[in-house]
Amino acid sequence: MKLYKHIKGILIELQQKFYIIEGEQWDLFINRDNLFDLVSEFLKTRLPIENPEVYLKEGLLAPIGENQEIWASGVTYFNSKLGREEESKKAGGSDFYARVYDAERPELFFKAMGFRAIGPGGKVRIRKDSSWDVPEPELTLVITSSGKIIGYTIGNDMSSRSIEGENPLYLPQAKCYDGSTAIGPCVLVLKDSLPLSTTISLTITRASSKAFYGEITIDQIKRKFEDLVSFLYTECSFPNGSYLMTGTGVVPTSEFTLKADDEIKITIAGIGTLTNTVA
C-alpha cells in the first residue's frame, strides 16, 4: 500500500488501484499503529478513481505533516564511517566517527520540521557558504507517536561536507538549512517489515550526462531500525509521529560536489523514485 500526499487529498494505491480521500489531515491519518489494516478495510467501501496518472503527474507534495519532525541517523553504514573520517581528518575529528560506529548509542540529530521538507519534483539547495556538497539517499522510517514503524519513504539528507568536515560541532549548520531535506514520493505501508535485500540507488545527472551513480542494500545498515527508534523516543515525545532517516551508504568521493541544476534521483525498491533538482 502506498500513500501519496496530494493537493486534492490523500491518494492511496492498493493492488494497482487508486483511491482519493479528501478532508483528512495527513499526520492524524497516518498516526495509527494499525494503519495498514484500517485503510485496507476502509477502501472496501470506496470506488477507485479513473486516470490516476493525472494525480501522479502533478500536485504531489512531500508526504509529511507540517508539524511532524524529521530526524536523521549518522554513521550507520561502514561506507559512511569511511566518508566521515575522510572529510574530518584535517580537523582531527575522524576518531569521533569511528567511535560512534562501534558504540551502543547511535548518532541521532534533528533534520527538519515537516513544513521545510521538499517534495517530489521540488528544488533542494546547497549552502552559499559551502564548497563541498552532496545528497545523501536514505531509507526513512515513518513512525507513530507510540514508536511503531508503520511505513517507509525516501529521504534526501543534503549535506555540506566542507562545513561538517571543518569541525564536527558544525553539524547542525551542515545539515539544517532551507532546502536541505527532501522526502517522497509516497509512504509505503506494509503488513510486514521491508526486506533487508532492498536496494537504494542514487543517480546524479548533470547537463544530460550521468555525473554519479551508486547503490547499496539496506542489509548493510549496522543497526536495527527498532534500536534507532528506541533511542530517538527515549526522553523525546512525538505527538504527531516522526520520520527517521536511517543513514547513507552511498557516498560520493571527495572529487565530487553538487552544482546548480543537477538532477538527483533516489530509488528505493518497492517505494519508487524521488526526483529533485538543485537550485
Side-chain angles (χ1 to χ4, degrees):
M1 177 190 299
K2 295 181 180 180
L3 306 184
Y4 299 83
K5 188 177 181 182
H6 196 274
I7 58 174
K8 293 186 178 181
I10 299 176
L11 182 66
I12 303 174
E13 179 184 357
L14 179 62
Q15 297 178 350
Q16 299 181 327
K17 295 180 180 180
F18 288 80
Y19 307 80
I20 188 77
I21 300 177
E22 300 176 353
E24 290 281 353
Q25 187 174 327
W26 177 270
D27 51 358
L28 294 178
F29 185 83
I30 69 167
N31 190 20
R32 296 178 168 99
D33 288 348
N34 57 344
L35 180 63
F36 184 91
D37 291 334
L38 282 175
V39 176
S40 297
E41 187 64 28
F42 176 73
L43 292 183
K44 290 180 180 179
T45 61
R46 308 278 295 197
L47 293 176
I49 61 173
E50 297 180 357
N51 302 319
E53 60 275 5
V54 175
Y55 288 83
L56 295 173
K57 186 177 182 180
E58 293 184 1
L60 290 182
L61 306 172
I64 189 171
E66 290 190 354
N67 294 318
Q68 291 181 295
E69 298 180 21
I70 303 172
W71 284 65
S73 314
V75 202
T76 57
Y77 291 84
F78 186 71
N79 287 353
S80 179
K81 168 184 173 293
L82 297 179
R84 299 291 86 78
E85 288 176 331
E86 177 189 9
E87 73 186 18
S88 61
K89 60 184 178 183
K90 290 184 179 180
S94 59
D95 184 53
F96 294 159
Y97 297 102
R99 291 187 182 188
V100 78
Y101 182 77
D102 293 322
E104 178 185 1
R105 182 183 296 274
E107 179 193 11
L108 297 173
F109 57 90
F110 175 77
K111 181 66 181 178
M113 291 298 297
F115 74 88
R116 289 189 182 275
I118 306 300
K123 291 184 177 294
V124 292
R125 296 182 61 253
I126 50 180
R127 289 183 62 117
K128 296 177 181 178
D129 54 353
S130 176
S131 59
W132 181 14
D133 304 275
V134 296
E136 296 190 2
E138 306 195 19
L139 175 68
T140 302
L141 311 178
V142 181
I143 313 162
T144 66
S145 56
S146 72
K148 182 177 180 180
I149 301 168
I150 51 90
Y152 309 87
T153 189
I154 301 171
N156 180 0
D157 173 19
M158 293 284 287
S159 182
S160 301
R161 294 187 67 179
S162 59
I163 294 176
E164 183 181 358
E166 184 179 345
N167 191 313
L169 296 181
Y170 296 158
L171 177 69
Q173 296 174 76
K175 294 288 191 176
C176 304
Y177 58 90
D178 290 342
S180 68
T181 312
I183 62 170
C186 64
V187 170
L188 174 67
V189 182
L190 297 176
K191 188 75 171 176
D192 301 309
S193 300
L194 196 66
L196 292 179
S197 59
T198 298
T199 300
I200 302 174
S201 67
L202 168 66
T203 303
I204 303 173
T205 303
R206 179 175 297 162
S208 301
S209 298
K210 185 184 295 183
F212 176 84
Y213 177 83
E215 66 175 36
I216 200 165
T217 51
I218 65 171
D219 61 0
Q220 299 300 304
I221 298 177
K222 181 180 181 181
R223 301 179 183 272
K224 295 181 179 179
F225 295 152
E226 291 77 13
D227 291 342
L228 292 173
V229 173
S230 177
F231 275 100
L232 178 62
Y233 275 59
T234 297
E235 303 297 342
C236 251
S237 58
F238 300 92
N240 299 304
S242 67
Y243 289 56
L244 177 59
M245 296 182 175
T246 57
T248 183
V250 181
V251 183
T253 65
S254 58
E255 288 76 29
F256 179 87
T257 187
L258 285 170
K259 295 183 178 181
D261 299 322
D262 283 355
E263 181 186 68
I264 303 167
K265 285 190 174 184
I266 303 172
T267 299
I268 299 183
I271 302 176
T273 299
L274 172 63
T275 301
N276 299 101
T277 55
V278 179

